[in-house]
Amino acid sequence: MKNQIIIFDTTLRDGEQSPGASLNIYEKLEIARQLEKLNVDIIETGFPISSPEQFEAVERIAGEVDLVIAALARAKEIDIETAYKAIRNADRRRIHTFVGTSDHHISGKFSDQRYGRSLAEKRETVIKMSRDAVQYAKTFCDDVEFSAEDAGRTEINYLCDVIEVAVEAGATTINIPDTTGYALPEELSAKIKAIREKVNNIDRAILSIHCHNDLGLAVANSLAAVEAGARQVECTINGIGERAGNASLEEIVMTLKVRKDFLDYQTNINTKEIYNTSHMVSGLTGMIVQPNKAIVGGNAFAHESGIHQDGMLKNRNTYEIMTPDEVGVPKTKMVLGRHSGRHGLKARLTELGYTVTEDDLKKLYALFIELADKKKEVYDDDLRVLMGDEIYIEESHVHLEQMQVHLGTNAIPTATVSLKVNDHMIHESATGDGPVDAIFNSIDRALNTKYKVESYQVRSVTEGRQAMGEALIRIRNEGKSFTGRGVSTDIIEASAKAYLHAINLLEIEKKAEQEKEVPELEEERQI
Ligand code: KIV
Ligand code: ZN
């Protein structure tokens, strides 16, 4: 349909590149299933060449989720082959290959003389790389997307030359990323119009837009591109992504819906799943949504002032341009407690969008009862936090069995931990500058390690005096960072869990690197 906008969700690829947002394979699967319910058209599931975990997550999603599954690849044969290997079990698959086309990118990334001596020669090399990459991707898959990275800052005539070559080579989607979030709406609109006018056979491909939010213009830029002729929009849930993030899916979709009078386009999105998807992504990534965030923020439908409340009571249209119901905000807050049974817990989690297996339920119910004992009333947000906690870490190398901290005004903080390490119990104590330092020191002593802590934060993630505290920690080992997350009604325990989570991620990666072998696929090439 002429006015149909294809929604390409990149929460699991560009979104996951947000600092501190790393998701494990189970969390990615859970989000991918929820994106299926939201009814996005395409999900970009990851960048398979970048790590064995990324490969495995893309492969699992490709086998289980019924959407077009895209995987990212640089304009290199090894990336393209690996991307294909990861998505080959999907019924509908797309290889998304990209190369930097702005002078900034060309002179930065391709500074080596083998790409050419002058900028003009390097530009020629990039044109050849684009053609070769698309042609190679086409040997595996009909559906090939080509992105001219940093198109937002690429000189228009050269951009048109690159795109023409990619279309000639068979790209079915041409994506225009504003990689640095630099462009203005009018500029992007003019760029899309120029591409449509100048590039031969541009009608053979769908034009796509991919905006970053460095100047807060990602959504406005995406909509301007749509009006100029783009028919695919790349976006993420809650607008998460590199630096200031990507264009937010919910803002684009709801703007198109609410302002249909002006923007006559439609998407396939089931808007009633927006609220659950946003909360799930926030719960699993640990990236809190600011209260005043459009569509999904805690205050998005709150009316505080007397004048507004009075107006709303008389006629909701006075201050409301869409209803909470349209985006799936629940009418009442459900509360569970220690007398709630397994069925009640499972039913509520299912309503919140989670897929709960019988095995998960056993583990979850025990955690839920532990929480209900401490908190008495367990709200939806508590359940989401629980789902984003240790529930998905199946292969834990080390687990916190018990901890104790001794504190006092004039006492030296001392912590004792009991850790289960691959079925062995280890008990250790240590002192520290404060209770958290003491806990980390006792864990280090028990495991005979000492990791550099790059960042550490604690915050409350649910409401009330017995709110759940969340600790986030980033540790570094051999040039790589690992972000751990822990939640508890006790912030010292949350900190210990977060530290152990990061250590477990590090161990899982070490193990995966030793074990992972990418399978052969010669016979599956199409030509
Ligand atoms: O922002 C960007 O340029 C990207 C591309 C890889 C599409 O994310
Ligand atoms: Zn991007």
Side-chain angles (χ1 to χ4, degrees):
M1 264 189 295
K2 211 165 150 257
N3 288 353
Q4 183 71 21
I5 304 301
I6 298 164
I7 298 292
F8 177 109
D9 178 279
T10 182
T11 306
L12 296 175
R13 201 276 300 167
D14 226 353
E16 209 233 357
Q17 287 173 221
S18 308
S22 87
L23 294 162
N24 68 32
I25 188 165
Y26 310 103
E27 293 164 337
K28 284 187 184 176
L29 252 176
E30 193 74 79
I31 292 176
R33 290 194 201 105
Q34 179 59 27
L35 290 169
E36 193 179 344
K37 290 184 203 149
L38 183 66
N39 210 22
V40 304
D41 300 287
I42 300 161
I43 45 172
E44 186 163 51
T45 46
F47 188 12
I49 191 78
S50 66
S51 73
E53 296 78 58
Q54 286 258 342
F55 182 95
E56 205 185 333
V58 173
E59 196 177 37
R60 281 285 298 272
I61 296 169
E64 292 188 30
V65 175
D66 186 18
L67 289 168
V68 178
I69 306 290
L72 189 67
R74 285 169 300 184
K76 290 182 168 194
E77 292 197 352
I78 180 71
D79 280 38
I80 293 169
E81 261 177 54
T82 310
Y84 178 70
K85 284 173 190 169
I87 58 174
R88 66 178 165 176
N89 289 331
D91 289 340
R92 294 173 289 155
R93 49 200 172 216
R94 170 179 296 188
I95 295 174
H96 176 192
T97 185
F98 72 100
V99 64
T101 53
S102 67
D103 290 350
H104 297 83
H105 274 232
I106 293 178
S107 44
K109 290 184 173 177
F110 308 121
S111 57
D112 195 288
Q113 295 251 327
R114 75 194 145 105
Y115 295 105
R117 282 184 304 270
S118 61
L119 182 63
E121 279 180 16
K122 289 179 196 294
R123 278 182 160 197
E124 277 310 308
T125 308
V126 166
I127 289 199
K128 180 172 180 328
M129 285 167 74
S130 308
R131 179 188 293 114
D132 291 351
V134 174
Q135 275 174 354
Y136 192 61
K138 286 295 267 192
T139 65
F140 296 109
C141 191
D142 288 333
D143 188 345
V144 172
E145 172 167 335
F146 172 78
S147 279
E149 193 188 12
D150 204 16
R153 292 191 300 171
T154 304
E155 186 268 313
I156 186 65
N157 292 321
Y158 178 63
L159 182 61
C160 288
D161 291 347
V162 177
I163 293 174
E164 192 157 305
V165 162
V167 173
E168 235 173 60
T172 40
T173 299
I174 295 290
N175 185 35
I176 307 299
D178 182 26
T179 306
T180 54
Y182 177 76
L184 300 173
E186 291 76 10
E187 257 178 314
L188 267 186
S189 166
K191 218 160 215 170
I192 298 283
K193 283 181 188 151
I195 292 167
R196 293 181 66 202
E197 271 161 27
K198 292 186 180 170
V199 175
N200 281 321
N201 298 319
I202 190 66
D203 291 346
R204 290 187 191 161
I206 288 170
L207 266 178
S208 166
I209 186 73
H210 174 117
C211 294
H212 281 267
N213 206 28
D214 299 64
L215 293 174
L217 292 171
V219 170
N221 281 344
S222 305
L223 294 171
V226 164
E227 284 195 273
R231 286 295 172 268
Q232 172 177 288
V233 177
E234 303 199 351
C235 43
T236 61
I237 301 297
N238 300 336
I240 63 170
E242 287 269 13
R243 307 180 309 278
N246 288 59
S248 128
L249 181 148
E250 59 280 5
E251 292 176 24
I252 288 170
V253 167
M254 289 314 289
T255 304
L256 294 179
K257 187 163 188 233
V258 172
R259 294 311 311 272
K260 202 162 172 45
D261 58 328
F262 196 82
L263 298 164
D264 186 18
Y265 305 97
Q266 67 265 345
T267 70
N268 286 327
I269 296 297
N270 174 2
T271 61
K272 292 206 177 226
E273 288 295 335
I274 285 178
Y275 181 88
N276 269 350
T277 316
S278 161
H279 277 69
M280 179 185 286
V281 168
S282 169
L284 296 180
T285 56
M287 299 201 60
I288 285 194
V289 173
Q290 76 202 53
N292 58 326
K293 161 87 175 62
I295 320 292
V296 289
N299 293 347
F301 295 97
H303 299 274
E304 188 74 22
S305 79
I307 297 178
H308 283 216
Q309 287 174 354
D310 186 53
M312 285 291 292
L313 288 172
K314 289 180 177 136
N315 182 349
R316 295 191 75 90
N317 287 340
T318 327
Y319 289 108
E320 206 169 70
I321 58 168
M322 62 196 138
T323 63
D325 187 50
E326 274 177 275
V327 296
V329 179
K331 285 202 178 61
T332 50
K333 280 196 175 175
M334 273 288 290
V335 186
L336 300 181
R338 69 171 281 78
H339 299 296
S340 308
R342 279 164 192 264
H343 287 307
L345 177 65
K346 185 172 179 185
R348 190 64 199 144
L349 285 168
T350 309
E351 274 162 30
L352 296 179
Y354 298 93
T355 312
V356 185
T357 65
E358 281 310 308
D359 275 354
D360 287 344
L361 188 61
K362 261 192 224 152
K363 210 165 21 157
L364 263 172
Y365 192 67
L367 289 171
F368 164 76
I369 289 295
E370 205 181 300
L371 182 64
D373 274 341
K374 290 183 192 157
K375 282 203 70 180
K376 303 212 170 20
E377 295 187 321
V378 178
Y379 292 92
D380 288 348
D381 278 346
D382 294 311
L383 294 180
R384 290 191 180 98
V385 168
L386 212 60
M387 294 302 290
D389 192 22
E390 57 193 316
I391 190 72
Y392 287 117
I393 309 171
E394 286 191 346
E395 317 168 52
S396 285
H397 155 79
V398 40
H399 187 79
L400 178 70
E401 291 289 308
Q402 264 189 8
M403 54 163 268
Q404 265 187 1
V405 181
H406 176 71
L407 279 179
T409 317
N410 292 315
I412 298 174
T414 310
T416 305
V417 289
S418 301
L419 304 180
K420 195 166 175 190
V421 185
N422 298 332
D423 291 335
H424 296 289
M425 288 300 296
I426 305 182
H427 311 275
E428 263 305 348
S429 300
T431 56
D433 280 346
V436 173
D437 190 39
I439 277 283
F440 290 174
N441 288 342
S442 57
I443 292 175
D444 282 345
R445 199 177 258 186
L447 301 177
N448 199 17
T449 51
K450 185 126 192 124
Y451 296 111
K452 182 172 164 20
V453 173
E454 288 187 322
S455 76
Y456 165 70
Q457 290 168 34
V458 191
R459 62 191 172 189
S460 135
V461 279
T462 60
E463 292 166 31
R465 277 173 84 123
Q466 263 122 11
M468 300 274 268
E470 177 191 61
L472 288 173
I473 190 167
R474 200 166 66 231
I475 61 169
R476 201 164 178 81
N477 184 50
E478 294 175 359
K480 276 197 169 171
S481 296
F482 299 86
T483 302
R485 181 163 172 260
V487 281
S488 168
T489 46
D490 168 356
I491 55 169
I492 313 288
E493 184 178 287
S495 306
K497 282 168 141 186
Y499 191 40
L500 290 173
H501 181 197
I503 293 174
N504 277 320
L505 292 177
L506 188 154
E507 290 297 330
I508 290 170
E509 168 142 338
K510 265 195 211 157
K511 199 165 146 219
E513 249 156 38
Q514 287 156 3
E515 285 171 5
K516 187 75 194 172
E517 271 186 22
V518 178
E520 277 309 310
L521 53 55
E522 251 338 282
E523 73 287 1
E524 295 200 22
R525 306 261 300 271
Q526 289 184 351
I527 53 174

